Amino acid sequence: AIVGAGATGVELAAELVQLSESAEAYGALGKAAKFQIVLIEAGARILPSFPEEISTATQKRLDKLGVKVLVNRKVQAARAGSLVLDGDELVPAGLSVWAAGVKAPDFLSQLGLPTTRGNQLIVNDDLQTADPDIYAVGDCASYTLPGQKQALPPTAQVAHQQARYLIELLPKVIASKQLYAGKGFAYRDFGALVSLANYD
């Protein structure tokens, strides 16, 4: 059972199908190589950050691969050998994987700085926190582009661009020995890719 049907959960499901087929082809596990993969998503569709047509096509492909996809289902508890979904439905699982989002370390919420529910430090256009001497990037930072309602996703693409911005900004901040405002972080979306192992 895989909890979370973003890119990580979807890619893992496809990789596990490919692994089971490869193992069976080599005779390593025989019929034991065939196992049920259940992908559980709390939202209305898989790959929620992708366009809807990509989500629909991907779910159809996963269905053909034998992956059972459950949407609009929340995990209430994890037990040895199963997950408990809302409505007390049990999903048997010899192995459960959590792929339902990023949470920053708990200590970040104890610094006295504004954070999100996931402990990410809220940053401004220069990636500064409410304390101008503290900057944050990557999974521990939450930055919302001007005019947008949702923060940028905690992806490698975002973190890499944030790091490049700070590489240019911080030497200027240190050299100025005073509060220094940069030109502001500008994010460029290069798109996203989801790989369904060797299937698509």
Side-chain angles (χ1 to χ4, degrees), residues 142-170:
S142 177
Y143 176 69
T144 304
L145 290 167
Q148 299 294 313
K149 293 182 180 177
Q150 282 192 318
L152 291 173
T155 62
Q157 179 180 187
V158 173
H160 179 76
Q161 291 182 44
Q162 289 175 332
R164 290 186 62 90
Y165 178 75
L166 282 187
I167 285 170
E168 292 181 17
L169 178 66
L170 289 180

mmCIF file of all heavy atoms in Angstrom, residues 142-170:
data_model
loop_
_atom_site.group_PDB
_atom_site.id
_atom_site.type_symbol
_atom_site.label_atom_id
_atom_site.label_comp_id
_atom_site.label_asym_id
_atom_site.label_seq_id
_atom_site.Cartn_x
_atom_site.Cartn_y
_atom_site.Cartn_z
ATOM 1 N N SER A 142 8.683 27.831 2.727
ATOM 2 C CA SER A 142 7.402 27.979 2.043
ATOM 3 C C SER A 142 7.369 29.374 1.431
ATOM 4 O O SER A 142 7.372 30.380 2.141
ATOM 5 C CB SER A 142 6.241 27.815 3.022
ATOM 6 O OG SER A 142 5.010 28.037 2.358
ATOM 7 N N TYR A 143 7.356 29.404 0.093
ATOM 8 C CA TYR A 143 7.340 30.681 -0.624
ATOM 9 C C TYR A 143 6.175 30.708 -1.598
ATOM 10 O O TYR A 143 6.002 29.784 -2.393
ATOM 11 C CB TYR A 143 8.645 30.918 -1.374
ATOM 12 C CG TYR A 143 8.614 32.191 -2.199
ATOM 13 C CD1 TYR A 143 8.592 33.434 -1.574
ATOM 14 C CD2 TYR A 143 8.580 32.149 -3.585
ATOM 15 C CE1 TYR A 143 8.541 34.607 -2.319
ATOM 16 C CE2 TYR A 143 8.530 33.317 -4.335
ATOM 17 C CZ TYR A 143 8.513 34.540 -3.699
ATOM 18 O OH TYR A 143 8.454 35.703 -4.421
ATOM 19 N N THR A 144 5.382 31.760 -1.515
ATOM 20 C CA THR A 144 4.253 31.933 -2.420
ATOM 21 C C THR A 144 4.568 33.075 -3.369
ATOM 22 O O THR A 144 4.871 34.191 -2.925
ATOM 23 C CB THR A 144 2.962 32.238 -1.628
ATOM 24 O OG1 THR A 144 2.745 31.181 -0.682
ATOM 25 C CG2 THR A 144 1.763 32.331 -2.554
ATOM 26 N N LEU A 145 4.515 32.793 -4.651
ATOM 27 C CA LEU A 145 4.780 33.823 -5.656
ATOM 28 C C LEU A 145 3.740 34.938 -5.562
ATOM 29 O O LEU A 145 2.584 34.669 -5.227
ATOM 30 C CB LEU A 145 4.741 33.208 -7.058
ATOM 31 C CG LEU A 145 5.888 32.268 -7.414
ATOM 32 C CD1 LEU A 145 5.561 31.491 -8.683
ATOM 33 C CD2 LEU A 145 7.187 33.048 -7.585
ATOM 34 N N PRO A 146 4.130 36.174 -5.852
ATOM 35 C CA PRO A 146 3.163 37.279 -5.832
ATOM 36 C C PRO A 146 1.962 36.968 -6.735
ATOM 37 O O PRO A 146 2.120 36.476 -7.855
ATOM 38 C CB PRO A 146 3.969 38.462 -6.383
ATOM 39 C CG PRO A 146 5.400 38.115 -6.103
ATOM 40 C CD PRO A 146 5.478 36.623 -6.220
ATOM 41 N N GLY A 147 0.762 37.216 -6.213
ATOM 42 C CA GLY A 147 -0.454 36.976 -6.967
ATOM 43 C C GLY A 147 -0.954 35.545 -6.943
ATOM 44 O O GLY A 147 -2.001 35.239 -7.500
ATOM 45 N N GLN A 148 -0.214 34.655 -6.304
ATOM 46 C CA GLN A 148 -0.620 33.251 -6.218
ATOM 47 C C GLN A 148 -1.196 32.952 -4.836
ATOM 48 O O GLN A 148 -0.910 33.639 -3.871
ATOM 49 C CB GLN A 148 0.565 32.320 -6.483
ATOM 50 C CG GLN A 148 1.173 32.487 -7.859
ATOM 51 C CD GLN A 148 0.221 32.064 -8.952
ATOM 52 O OE1 GLN A 148 -0.391 31.020 -8.896
ATOM 53 N NE2 GLN A 148 0.082 32.921 -9.972
ATOM 54 N N LYS A 149 -1.994 31.884 -4.756
ATOM 55 C CA LYS A 149 -2.585 31.488 -3.477
ATOM 56 C C LYS A 149 -1.838 30.331 -2.834
ATOM 57 O O LYS A 149 -1.815 30.185 -1.624
ATOM 58 C CB LYS A 149 -4.058 31.105 -3.679
ATOM 59 C CG LYS A 149 -4.924 32.285 -4.066
ATOM 60 C CD LYS A 149 -6.359 31.888 -4.221
ATOM 61 C CE LYS A 149 -7.205 33.079 -4.617
ATOM 62 N NZ LYS A 149 -8.601 32.734 -4.845
ATOM 63 N N GLN A 150 -1.237 29.476 -3.658
ATOM 64 C CA GLN A 150 -0.535 28.310 -3.136
ATOM 65 C C GLN A 150 0.964 28.508 -3.196
ATOM 66 O O GLN A 150 1.492 29.078 -4.160
ATOM 67 C CB GLN A 150 -0.903 27.055 -3.923
ATOM 68 C CG GLN A 150 -2.249 26.479 -3.552
ATOM 69 C CD GLN A 150 -2.418 25.102 -4.157
ATOM 70 O OE1 GLN A 150 -2.067 24.871 -5.299
ATOM 71 N NE2 GLN A 150 -2.965 24.180 -3.388
ATOM 72 N N ALA A 151 1.635 28.017 -2.177
ATOM 73 C CA ALA A 151 3.092 28.093 -2.149
ATOM 74 C C ALA A 151 3.677 27.183 -3.223
ATOM 75 O O ALA A 151 3.031 26.228 -3.673
ATOM 76 C CB ALA A 151 3.600 27.671 -0.774
ATOM 77 N N LEU A 152 4.901 27.480 -3.622
ATOM 78 C CA LEU A 152 5.584 26.617 -4.576
ATOM 79 C C LEU A 152 5.749 25.222 -3.974
ATOM 80 O O LEU A 152 5.943 25.090 -2.761
ATOM 81 C CB LEU A 152 6.958 27.200 -4.926
ATOM 82 C CG LEU A 152 6.954 28.486 -5.732
ATOM 83 C CD1 LEU A 152 8.376 29.031 -5.864
ATOM 84 C CD2 LEU A 152 6.344 28.267 -7.103
ATOM 85 N N PRO A 153 5.684 24.187 -4.796
ATOM 86 C CA PRO A 153 5.808 22.835 -4.252
ATOM 87 C C PRO A 153 7.238 22.554 -3.787
ATOM 88 O O PRO A 153 8.186 23.133 -4.324
ATOM 89 C CB PRO A 153 5.431 21.943 -5.441
ATOM 90 C CG PRO A 153 5.763 22.764 -6.644
ATOM 91 C CD PRO A 153 5.491 24.184 -6.246
ATOM 92 N N PRO A 154 7.394 21.677 -2.802
ATOM 93 C CA PRO A 154 8.734 21.341 -2.312
ATOM 94 C C PRO A 154 9.407 20.324 -3.236
ATOM 95 O O PRO A 154 9.529 19.144 -2.927
ATOM 96 C CB PRO A 154 8.466 20.764 -0.919
ATOM 97 C CG PRO A 154 7.100 20.169 -1.029
ATOM 98 C CD PRO A 154 6.347 21.024 -2.010
ATOM 99 N N THR A 155 9.822 20.793 -4.406
ATOM 100 C CA THR A 155 10.460 19.914 -5.388
ATOM 101 C C THR A 155 11.926 20.307 -5.564
ATOM 102 O O THR A 155 12.333 21.416 -5.197
ATOM 103 C CB THR A 155 9.754 20.016 -6.758
ATOM 104 O OG1 THR A 155 9.873 21.369 -7.235
ATOM 105 C CG2 THR A 155 8.284 19.613 -6.662
ATOM 106 N N ALA A 156 12.683 19.412 -6.176
ATOM 107 C CA ALA A 156 14.097 19.690 -6.431
ATOM 108 C C ALA A 156 14.248 20.891 -7.360
ATOM 109 O O ALA A 156 15.172 21.697 -7.216
ATOM 110 C CB ALA A 156 14.771 18.462 -7.032
ATOM 111 N N GLN A 157 13.334 21.027 -8.316
ATOM 112 C CA GLN A 157 13.387 22.138 -9.259
ATOM 113 C C GLN A 157 13.307 23.487 -8.528
ATOM 114 O O GLN A 157 14.079 24.403 -8.801
ATOM 115 C CB GLN A 157 12.231 22.008 -10.267
ATOM 116 C CG GLN A 157 12.157 23.104 -11.265
ATOM 117 C CD GLN A 157 11.005 22.962 -12.251
ATOM 118 O OE1 GLN A 157 10.950 23.733 -13.180
ATOM 119 N NE2 GLN A 157 10.101 22.019 -12.086
ATOM 120 N N VAL A 158 12.393 23.592 -7.581
ATOM 121 C CA VAL A 158 12.240 24.826 -6.805
ATOM 122 C C VAL A 158 13.468 25.043 -5.917
ATOM 123 O O VAL A 158 14.047 26.135 -5.888
ATOM 124 C CB VAL A 158 10.949 24.792 -5.955
ATOM 125 C CG1 VAL A 158 10.881 25.994 -5.026
ATOM 126 C CG2 VAL A 158 9.722 24.744 -6.856
ATOM 127 N N ALA A 159 13.888 24.007 -5.207
ATOM 128 C CA ALA A 159 15.025 24.130 -4.284
ATOM 129 C C ALA A 159 16.294 24.533 -5.022
ATOM 130 O O ALA A 159 17.071 25.369 -4.537
ATOM 131 C CB ALA A 159 15.233 22.813 -3.543
ATOM 132 N N HIS A 160 16.511 23.962 -6.190
ATOM 133 C CA HIS A 160 17.705 24.279 -6.971
ATOM 134 C C HIS A 160 17.711 25.759 -7.366
ATOM 135 O O HIS A 160 18.738 26.450 -7.241
ATOM 136 C CB HIS A 160 17.752 23.393 -8.215
ATOM 137 C CG HIS A 160 18.935 23.648 -9.096
ATOM 138 N ND1 HIS A 160 20.195 23.204 -8.777
ATOM 139 C CD2 HIS A 160 19.046 24.327 -10.263
ATOM 140 C CE1 HIS A 160 21.038 23.589 -9.724
ATOM 141 N NE2 HIS A 160 20.371 24.272 -10.643
ATOM 142 N N GLN A 161 16.571 26.262 -7.816
ATOM 143 C CA GLN A 161 16.491 27.664 -8.216
ATOM 144 C C GLN A 161 16.638 28.588 -7.006
ATOM 145 O O GLN A 161 17.258 29.657 -7.099
ATOM 146 C CB GLN A 161 15.176 27.936 -8.955
ATOM 147 C CG GLN A 161 15.127 27.266 -10.319
ATOM 148 C CD GLN A 161 13.845 27.567 -11.064
ATOM 149 O OE1 GLN A 161 13.388 28.702 -11.098
ATOM 150 N NE2 GLN A 161 13.267 26.551 -11.677
ATOM 151 N N GLN A 162 16.087 28.185 -5.865
ATOM 152 C CA GLN A 162 16.248 28.988 -4.650
ATOM 153 C C GLN A 162 17.718 29.044 -4.237
ATOM 154 O O GLN A 162 18.232 30.104 -3.867
ATOM 155 C CB GLN A 162 15.410 28.408 -3.518
ATOM 156 C CG GLN A 162 13.922 28.610 -3.700
ATOM 157 C CD GLN A 162 13.112 27.906 -2.622
ATOM 158 O OE1 GLN A 162 13.532 26.893 -2.057
ATOM 159 N NE2 GLN A 162 11.931 28.443 -2.346
ATOM 160 N N ALA A 163 18.391 27.916 -4.298
ATOM 161 C CA ALA A 163 19.810 27.861 -3.923
ATOM 162 C C ALA A 163 20.642 28.750 -4.843
ATOM 163 O O ALA A 163 21.525 29.483 -4.386
ATOM 164 C CB ALA A 163 20.312 26.422 -3.965
ATOM 165 N N ARG A 164 20.349 28.713 -6.140
ATOM 166 C CA ARG A 164 21.084 29.566 -7.088
ATOM 167 C C ARG A 164 20.851 31.051 -6.776
ATOM 168 O O ARG A 164 21.765 31.869 -6.888
ATOM 169 C CB ARG A 164 20.696 29.234 -8.523
ATOM 170 C CG ARG A 164 21.205 27.874 -8.979
ATOM 171 C CD ARG A 164 20.925 27.639 -10.447
ATOM 172 N NE ARG A 164 21.604 28.615 -11.275
ATOM 173 C CZ ARG A 164 22.831 28.472 -11.761
ATOM 174 N NH1 ARG A 164 23.509 27.380 -11.477
ATOM 175 N NH2 ARG A 164 23.367 29.398 -12.516
ATOM 176 N N TYR A 165 19.637 31.376 -6.382
ATOM 177 C CA TYR A 165 19.346 32.770 -6.031
ATOM 178 C C TYR A 165 20.181 33.191 -4.821
ATOM 179 O O TYR A 165 20.792 34.265 -4.816
ATOM 180 C CB TYR A 165 17.847 32.963 -5.757
ATOM 181 C CG TYR A 165 17.503 34.364 -5.345
ATOM 182 C CD1 TYR A 165 17.475 35.394 -6.286
ATOM 183 C CD2 TYR A 165 17.222 34.681 -4.017
ATOM 184 C CE1 TYR A 165 17.182 36.701 -5.908
ATOM 185 C CE2 TYR A 165 16.931 35.979 -3.641
ATOM 186 C CZ TYR A 165 16.909 36.986 -4.588
ATOM 187 O OH TYR A 165 16.631 38.278 -4.209
ATOM 188 N N LEU A 166 20.214 32.343 -3.792
ATOM 189 C CA LEU A 166 20.965 32.709 -2.583
ATOM 190 C C LEU A 166 22.471 32.724 -2.817
ATOM 191 O O LEU A 166 23.192 33.492 -2.161
ATOM 192 C CB LEU A 166 20.616 31.772 -1.430
ATOM 193 C CG LEU A 166 19.289 32.050 -0.730
ATOM 194 C CD1 LEU A 166 19.136 31.183 0.503
ATOM 195 C CD2 LEU A 166 19.139 33.520 -0.349
ATOM 196 N N ILE A 167 22.951 31.910 -3.740
ATOM 197 C CA ILE A 167 24.381 31.931 -4.072
ATOM 198 C C ILE A 167 24.788 33.320 -4.556
ATOM 199 O O ILE A 167 25.872 33.803 -4.249
ATOM 200 C CB ILE A 167 24.712 30.859 -5.140
ATOM 201 C CG1 ILE A 167 24.719 29.471 -4.502
ATOM 202 C CG2 ILE A 167 26.047 31.136 -5.821
ATOM 203 C CD1 ILE A 167 24.793 28.336 -5.502
ATOM 204 N N GLU A 168 23.904 33.966 -5.297
ATOM 205 C CA GLU A 168 24.187 35.324 -5.782
ATOM 206 C C GLU A 168 23.915 36.378 -4.707
ATOM 207 O O GLU A 168 24.629 37.366 -4.600
ATOM 208 C CB GLU A 168 23.336 35.630 -7.018
ATOM 209 C CG GLU A 168 23.724 34.819 -8.231
ATOM 210 C CD GLU A 168 22.879 35.160 -9.444
ATOM 211 O OE1 GLU A 168 22.225 36.234 -9.433
ATOM 212 O OE2 GLU A 168 22.869 34.369 -10.394
ATOM 213 N N LEU A 169 22.856 36.178 -3.917
ATOM 214 C CA LEU A 169 22.436 37.196 -2.954
ATOM 215 C C LEU A 169 23.319 37.275 -1.710
ATOM 216 O O LEU A 169 23.698 38.374 -1.285
ATOM 217 C CB LEU A 169 20.982 36.949 -2.534
ATOM 218 C CG LEU A 169 20.406 37.897 -1.488
ATOM 219 C CD1 LEU A 169 20.305 39.316 -2.058
ATOM 220 C CD2 LEU A 169 19.060 37.418 -0.994
ATOM 221 N N LEU A 170 23.644 36.141 -1.116
ATOM 222 C CA LEU A 170 24.313 36.162 0.195
ATOM 223 C C LEU A 170 25.667 36.871 0.208
ATOM 224 O O LEU A 170 25.950 37.609 1.162
ATOM 225 C CB LEU A 170 24.413 34.749 0.756
ATOM 226 C CG LEU A 170 23.073 34.157 1.211
ATOM 227 C CD1 LEU A 170 23.264 32.752 1.763
ATOM 228 C CD2 LEU A 170 22.379 35.052 2.232
#
